[in-house]
Amino acid sequence: GAVVSQHPSWVICKSGTSVKIECRSLDFQATTMFWYRQFPKQSLMLMATSNEGSKATYEQGVEKDKFLINHASLTLSTLTVTSAHPEDSSFYICSANSIWANVLTFGAGSRLTVL
Amino acid sequence: DQQVKQNSPSLSVQEGRISILNCDYTNSMFDYFLWYKKYPAEGPTFLISISSIKDKNEDGRFTVFLNKSAKHLSLHIVPSQPGDSAVYFCAASARAGGTSYGKLTFGQGTILTVHP
């Protein structure tokens, strides 16, 4: 079945630094990837939709300059949290779908802790 | 505005009995609904889905019921097993409007615990 790999699974960084999270579709080409964020005891919230070769579409309230998304190929999308602050600490999850897939496949998520 | 709500944060069930997880939505544009299961430190895993043209979909021990007039869906697990213990999320999307079905709106999740 479709597999989505997310890396790193957890990261701790200092306030003010930038962190990059990768999302790869391992055995299929992902025309679209989605980035979600989940704060403790809350639901997964869609941050942005990433289409290969074009600019990402951000949800209302998500700062595009802070959360940089790049979808350079059909198998890789990256999320860079720039100048991270403690309030950015969260669980970030990507998901991907293909032309042929009927449902989304989620990555395992990345736990970001900003000190 | 929480468009998808799971009002029960947790549910405890005895092994072998039925687990019923509920989900309500407010957006009448939603026409496709999914249930995901999530273990700690893992991403959500797809369980079962239902289109708004149906009112029931069954897959093994899992059955999803949709009541469009009430804007309510439920997931039934029969019989429940200890391995079913996880967080269950319902999600909804509006596919008919041309929006990518990947743009899901999730509920808050319900923690299911199945006791042996």
Side-chain angles (χ1 to χ4, degrees):
Chain A
V3 177
V4 173
S5 171
Q6 201 170 329
H7 177 82
S9 55
W10 59 271
V11 58
I12 301 173
C13 70
K14 292 182 179 180
S15 184
T17 60
S18 294
V19 175
K20 180 186 284 188
I21 300 170
E22 292 187 347
C23 180
R24 293 180 184 272
S25 57
L26 296 186
D27 49 2
F28 66 100
Q29 293 183 327
T31 50
T32 307
M33 288 186 174
F34 303 87
W35 287 94
Y36 288 82
R37 178 170 56 184
Q38 183 186 23
F39 291 109
K41 297 184 180 180
Q42 295 187 23
S43 60
L44 286 80
M45 299 295 292
L46 179 65
M47 298 175 66
T49 302
S50 170
N51 294 298
E52 186 266 338
S54 63
K55 290 184 178 180
T57 303
Y58 290 80
E59 295 300 303
Q60 191 174 9
V62 179
E63 301 175 57
K64 59 179 68 177
D65 294 330
K66 181 168 185 63
F67 299 98
L68 301 179
I69 292 173
N70 183 279
H71 194 156
S73 76
L74 284 171
T75 60
L76 174 65
S77 176
T78 60
L79 167 68
T80 301
V81 183
T82 62
S83 187
H85 291 284
E87 58 265 30
D88 299 323
S89 298
S90 186
F91 191 58
Y92 293 86
I93 307 177
C94 70
S95 65
N97 72 325
S98 70
I99 300 173
W100 317 112
N102 198 28
V103 292
L104 286 180
T105 301
F106 280 83
S110 300
R111 173 75 60 191
L112 171 63
T113 301
V114 185
L115 302 176
Chain B
D1 177 33
Q2 189 74 26
Q3 296 187 58
V4 178
K5 296 181 182 179
Q6 292 175 257
N7 292 316
S8 298
S10 64
L11 175 68
S12 183
V13 172
Q14 202 69 28
E15 180 179 7
R17 306 294 288 269
I18 184 172
S19 295
I20 300 176
L21 299 117
N22 294 301
C23 180
D24 297 292
Y25 62 97
T26 58
N27 190 339
S28 58
M29 297 300 292
F30 288 146
D31 57 3
Y32 193 68
F33 305 89
L34 309 91
W35 283 95
Y36 282 87
K37 176 180 178 181
K38 184 180 181 301
Y39 292 115
E42 294 184 12
T45 303
F46 170 75
L47 268 179
I48 192 169
S49 64
I50 188 168
S51 165
S52 60
I53 62 174
K54 293 185 175 182
D55 54 19
K56 176 183 175 181
N57 189 25
E58 190 173 353
D59 184 2
R61 296 185 298 115
F62 302 91
T63 303
V64 56
F65 295 92
L66 175 63
N67 183 334
K68 283 187 294 183
S69 60
K71 293 190 174 65
H72 176 84
L73 65 153
S74 60
L75 174 68
H76 292 210
I77 306 174
V78 180
S80 301
Q81 300 173 354
D84 296 328
S85 298
V87 180
Y88 289 78
F89 289 95
C90 71
S93 73
R95 299 172 76 169
T99 304
S100 169
Y101 66 82
K103 191 171 178 176
L104 300 178
T105 302
F106 282 85
Q108 308 95 310
T110 297
I111 302 172
L112 173 65
T113 303
V114 181
H115 298 283

